[in-house]
Amino acid sequence: MEETVQLAHLPDHNRTTDLMWLRLWTSYAPVITPLRALGLVTDVELCGGEYNVTAALPDGSYFAITSTHALPVDPADVTGWTVQRLFDDNPTRAVLYDSTEDGQDAEHGNALAPMLGRIVHWMLAGRRALHEELPGRLGELLANLDPGAAWAATNAPTPAAKAAALEIKHRSETNELPPTGAVHAAGRGVTVMFAVNHLPTWAVWCELLHLHDISYRGSYATAFGTFQGVTVKVIADGVPALDAARNRARQELGQ
């Protein structure tokens, strides 16, 4: 029977509902998911507009994964990876991997497999994996991963997703739709993120995309719909509070 690899739990902080955090978490899933499979609690750091992926290690240190500088919003713009091992209470910095232009691993460029493979081998060599039940083949699988296929399968948008995202952006810019905060095409779908100031705005989106499976988390509403035959995930800030206010008003009016 095929073994199931358990992923490390999500980071424990309130940024997991932040629109930019969600966008980066999704975009960099091909980096984050293997680290979580190794038992490492992985996070996206938002430091004054500079982004990186971090993974906590058992000894209190952590990996910081960046590019030439901070990570770009779009992973397609990554030209090379750096992996440093850092300590919160110690200025020591150990460079585990560097495939940026002048780095020791520059020949690998933005390929994922060599970078992930280096981390995996470092973890396995020191018996640092947190889950002893990890399949023994995990290191080999990641080290031999085809980075182009893995990245494309997870992130590169299909022509239909690209077209749908462009059309949503165009309609928003020409005021045919309420303003959006971000429209991001990845794989076969589109993610739309925006703030809702009044419920009629939300109603427009619901009608256009035939939204369903609406759920609330914190101040955000998440829903799914379709546009031009493409699956769209909507993350809207403000809907729960507006819904609550409307329900209170109805109760006060005895409706």
Side-chain angles (χ1 to χ4, degrees):
M1 187 165 85
E2 186 178 352
E3 294 184 73
T4 300
V5 178
Q6 297 297 317
L7 300 182
H9 60 75
L10 295 175
D12 183 17
H13 56 61
N14 59 10
R15 294 192 303 280
T16 56
T17 57
D18 181 270
L19 294 180
M20 182 54 73
W21 189 93
L22 288 166
R23 177 177 179 180
L24 293 167
W25 178 267
T26 302
S27 296
Y28 283 95
V31 175
I32 292 168
T33 301
L35 295 175
R36 295 180 66 204
L38 285 171
L40 306 180
V41 176
T42 307
D43 198 359
V44 176
E45 293 289 342
L46 312 177
C47 304
E50 295 191 351
Y51 314 122
N52 61 77
V53 170
T54 63
L57 295 167
D59 63 359
S61 63
Y62 61 95
F63 287 139
I65 301 174
T66 58
S67 187
T68 304
H69 300 293
L71 290 176
V73 174
D74 187 347
D77 294 333
V78 171
T79 57
W81 303 97
T82 63
V83 181
Q84 297 184 77
R85 184 184 175 205
L86 306 176
F87 301 79
D88 282 332
D89 57 354
N90 189 317
T92 302
R93 291 172 175 260
V95 178
L96 186 71
Y97 183 85
D98 185 355
S99 65
T100 59
E101 184 177 0
D102 298 318
Q104 60 190 13
D105 306 291
E107 69 272 19
H108 298 304
N110 65 354
L112 278 175
M115 184 267 284
L116 292 172
R118 183 72 57 83
I119 291 174
V120 168
H121 290 307
W122 185 87
M123 293 287 292
L124 297 179
R127 295 185 178 276
R128 301 178 177 96
L130 298 183
H131 295 323
E132 293 299 328
E133 70 275 13
L134 277 177
R137 64 184 182 275
L138 178 61
E140 180 181 354
L141 286 173
L142 291 180
N144 292 289
L145 178 70
D146 181 305
W151 195 265
T154 308
N155 282 284
T158 62
K162 279 185 177 180
L166 288 173
E167 181 63 20
I168 290 173
K169 286 181 182 178
H170 172 71
R171 292 195 184 189
S172 178
E173 291 168 355
T174 57
N175 296 320
E176 294 180 55
L177 283 175
T180 62
V183 181
H184 179 59
R188 298 182 179 182
V190 175
T191 300
V192 178
M193 297 176 283
F194 56 91
V196 178
N197 295 319
H198 50 89
L199 286 172
T201 298
W202 178 242
V204 170
W205 286 103
C206 288
E207 182 177 354
L208 173 74
L209 303 177
H210 307 289
L211 292 180
H212 57 87
D213 294 336
I214 301 172
S215 61
Y216 293 160
R217 181 178 179 182
S219 65
Y220 293 90
T222 300
F224 294 88
T226 57
F227 181 77
Q228 296 183 343
V230 172
T231 299
V232 179
K233 179 180 181 180
V234 173
I235 303 172
D237 183 12
V239 178
L242 290 171
D243 260 345
R246 178 179 61 179
N247 290 336
R248 285 195 301 271
R250 285 177 172 175
Q251 290 175 357
E252 290 172 359
L253 292 172
Q255 298 180 358

